[in-house]
Amino acid sequence: ISSVVPRPIAVITSISSKNDDGIVNCAPFSYTSLSTHDPPIVTHGICLVDGKKKDSLVNIEATGEWVYNVLTTDYTDESNVCSASYPADADETKETGLETLPCELITPPRIEKATVAMECKLWDKKEVFNDMGEHTTTIVMGRVVNFHVHESVLKDGQAEDDPRVDLKKLQPVGRAGDITFWPHGVKSNNMLASERPK
């Protein structure tokens, strides 16, 4: 598994209820991928711990909504603290000092430091069982219904109806084996721009 690198890290913000008393949960997940672009579908593998569902999964199943905040070097440390085992009634954004902003189409908030955030609605899910028949993971598929992209990370010269993210401006963070963040940001000398053959 540790050879599958780098894995994108989604810092997922979710909420326990769509009512005013909903508790915000914030946690990073590296079993993450973009599966399709038309429509845009993202996937997250959320593992159970000792047979118990994590708060993020409980919230997603209860509300059908979450935010995929793209992890960058600006808030790696706070994100890592969010991975601790907090009680279900704890709001990790308050524990770590991460400020949030409201979303437009869903209830959970997005992280203010996230220069790219995707509002997601549950498209489908798949429970995964190991060879002993134990439920170990639930894969959730999210339909991205709204994108938040800060102008500071956009490529120069792009048309307004065709925005593209500049990786050197974004400074994304991925995950490798163990608890290793890699890449931790982007440098010009470790990128290879290419063109597809015709």
Short mmCIF file of all heavy atoms in Angstrom, two decimals, residues 1-9 30-33 174-178 180 182-183:
data_model
loop_
_atom_site.label_atom_id
_atom_site.label_comp_id
_atom_site.label_asym_id
_atom_site.label_seq_id
_atom_site.Cartn_x
_atom_site.Cartn_y
_atom_site.Cartn_z
N ILE A 1 0.83 -1.20 0.00
CA ILE A 1 0.00 0.00 0.00
C ILE A 1 0.87 1.26 0.00
O ILE A 1 0.54 2.25 -0.64
CB ILE A 1 -0.95 -0.01 1.21
CG1 ILE A 1 -1.99 -1.13 1.05
CG2 ILE A 1 -1.66 1.33 1.36
CD1 ILE A 1 -2.86 -1.33 2.27
N SER A 2 2.00 1.21 0.72
CA SER A 2 2.83 2.40 0.84
C SER A 2 3.49 2.79 -0.48
O SER A 2 4.08 3.88 -0.58
CB SER A 2 3.89 2.21 1.92
OG SER A 2 4.73 1.13 1.59
N SER A 3 3.43 1.92 -1.49
CA SER A 3 4.01 2.26 -2.80
C SER A 3 3.02 3.02 -3.68
O SER A 3 3.40 3.51 -4.75
CB SER A 3 4.45 0.98 -3.52
OG SER A 3 3.34 0.17 -3.85
N VAL A 4 1.78 3.12 -3.26
CA VAL A 4 0.78 3.88 -4.02
C VAL A 4 0.88 5.33 -3.57
O VAL A 4 0.25 5.75 -2.58
CB VAL A 4 -0.65 3.32 -3.80
CG1 VAL A 4 -1.66 4.10 -4.63
CG2 VAL A 4 -0.70 1.84 -4.15
N VAL A 5 1.69 6.09 -4.28
CA VAL A 5 1.99 7.46 -3.86
C VAL A 5 2.06 8.39 -5.07
O VAL A 5 2.31 7.95 -6.18
CB VAL A 5 3.33 7.53 -3.10
CG1 VAL A 5 3.24 6.78 -1.79
CG2 VAL A 5 4.49 6.98 -3.95
N PRO A 6 1.84 9.69 -4.84
CA PRO A 6 1.28 10.25 -3.61
C PRO A 6 -0.24 10.11 -3.60
O PRO A 6 -0.86 10.04 -4.66
CB PRO A 6 1.69 11.71 -3.68
CG PRO A 6 1.73 12.01 -5.15
CD PRO A 6 2.20 10.74 -5.81
N ARG A 7 -0.80 10.05 -2.41
CA ARG A 7 -2.26 10.00 -2.28
C ARG A 7 -2.76 11.40 -1.94
O ARG A 7 -2.25 12.03 -1.02
CB ARG A 7 -2.68 9.01 -1.20
CG ARG A 7 -2.14 7.61 -1.41
CD ARG A 7 -2.89 6.57 -0.57
NE ARG A 7 -2.88 6.83 0.84
CZ ARG A 7 -1.98 6.34 1.71
NH1 ARG A 7 -0.98 5.58 1.26
NH2 ARG A 7 -2.06 6.61 2.99
N PRO A 8 -3.76 11.89 -2.67
CA PRO A 8 -4.31 13.20 -2.31
C PRO A 8 -4.91 13.15 -0.90
O PRO A 8 -5.43 12.11 -0.48
CB PRO A 8 -5.41 13.42 -3.35
CG PRO A 8 -5.13 12.46 -4.46
CD PRO A 8 -4.44 11.29 -3.83
N ILE A 9 -4.85 14.24 -0.20
CA ILE A 9 -5.43 14.32 1.13
C ILE A 9 -6.63 15.26 1.10
O ILE A 9 -6.50 16.44 0.75
CB ILE A 9 -4.42 14.80 2.18
CG1 ILE A 9 -3.25 13.83 2.27
CG2 ILE A 9 -5.09 14.95 3.55
CD1 ILE A 9 -2.13 14.28 3.21
N SER A 30 -6.70 10.20 3.34
CA SER A 30 -5.81 10.07 2.18
C SER A 30 -6.21 8.93 1.25
O SER A 30 -5.56 8.75 0.22
CB SER A 30 -4.36 9.88 2.64
OG SER A 30 -4.21 8.67 3.35
N TYR A 31 -7.24 8.16 1.59
CA TYR A 31 -7.78 7.21 0.60
C TYR A 31 -8.79 7.98 -0.23
O TYR A 31 -10.00 7.79 -0.13
CB TYR A 31 -8.43 6.02 1.29
CG TYR A 31 -7.45 5.03 1.92
CD1 TYR A 31 -7.90 3.98 2.70
CD2 TYR A 31 -6.08 5.15 1.72
CE1 TYR A 31 -7.01 3.07 3.27
CE2 TYR A 31 -5.18 4.25 2.28
CZ TYR A 31 -5.66 3.22 3.06
OH TYR A 31 -4.77 2.33 3.62
N THR A 32 -8.25 8.88 -1.04
CA THR A 32 -9.06 9.88 -1.74
C THR A 32 -8.68 9.93 -3.21
O THR A 32 -7.52 9.75 -3.56
CB THR A 32 -8.82 11.27 -1.09
OG1 THR A 32 -9.46 11.31 0.18
CG2 THR A 32 -9.35 12.40 -1.95
N SER A 33 -9.69 10.18 -4.06
CA SER A 33 -9.40 10.27 -5.49
C SER A 33 -10.50 11.02 -6.23
O SER A 33 -11.62 11.15 -5.73
CB SER A 33 -9.26 8.86 -6.09
OG SER A 33 -8.89 8.93 -7.46
N GLY A 174 0.38 15.84 -0.21
CA GLY A 174 -0.07 14.46 -0.40
C GLY A 174 0.42 13.58 0.74
O GLY A 174 1.09 14.04 1.66
N ARG A 175 0.11 12.31 0.63
CA ARG A 175 0.47 11.36 1.68
C ARG A 175 1.23 10.19 1.07
O ARG A 175 0.89 9.69 0.00
CB ARG A 175 -0.82 10.85 2.35
CG ARG A 175 -0.66 9.70 3.34
CD ARG A 175 -0.23 10.16 4.70
NE ARG A 175 -0.04 9.00 5.56
CZ ARG A 175 -0.99 8.44 6.31
NH1 ARG A 175 -2.21 8.94 6.29
NH2 ARG A 175 -0.71 7.40 7.07
N ALA A 176 2.29 9.77 1.75
CA ALA A 176 3.03 8.57 1.38
C ALA A 176 2.88 7.56 2.51
O ALA A 176 1.96 7.65 3.32
CB ALA A 176 4.49 8.93 1.14
N GLY A 177 3.78 6.56 2.56
CA GLY A 177 3.69 5.55 3.61
C GLY A 177 3.95 6.15 4.98
O GLY A 177 4.50 7.24 5.12
N ASP A 178 3.57 5.38 6.01
CA ASP A 178 3.67 5.84 7.40
C ASP A 178 2.91 7.17 7.52
O ASP A 178 1.95 7.41 6.82
CB ASP A 178 5.14 5.98 7.83
CG ASP A 178 5.90 4.66 7.71
OD1 ASP A 178 5.32 3.63 8.11
OD2 ASP A 178 7.05 4.66 7.24
N THR A 180 3.84 10.19 6.55
CA THR A 180 4.75 11.03 5.77
C THR A 180 3.95 11.86 4.78
O THR A 180 3.19 11.30 3.98
CB THR A 180 5.76 10.17 5.01
OG1 THR A 180 6.49 9.36 5.93
CG2 THR A 180 6.73 11.05 4.23
N TRP A 182 3.93 13.78 1.56
CA TRP A 182 4.74 13.90 0.35
C TRP A 182 3.85 13.85 -0.88
O TRP A 182 3.04 12.93 -0.99
CB TRP A 182 5.78 12.77 0.28
CG TRP A 182 6.58 12.85 -0.98
CD1 TRP A 182 7.62 13.67 -1.26
CD2 TRP A 182 6.36 12.08 -2.17
NE1 TRP A 182 8.07 13.47 -2.54
CE2 TRP A 182 7.31 12.49 -3.12
CE3 TRP A 182 5.44 11.08 -2.53
CZ2 TRP A 182 7.37 11.96 -4.40
CZ3 TRP A 182 5.49 10.55 -3.80
CH2 TRP A 182 6.46 10.98 -4.73
N PRO A 183 3.92 14.81 -1.76
CA PRO A 183 4.79 15.99 -1.62
C PRO A 183 4.23 16.95 -0.57
O PRO A 183 3.03 16.96 -0.31
CB PRO A 183 4.74 16.62 -3.01
CG PRO A 183 3.39 16.23 -3.53
CD PRO A 183 3.13 14.85 -3.00
#
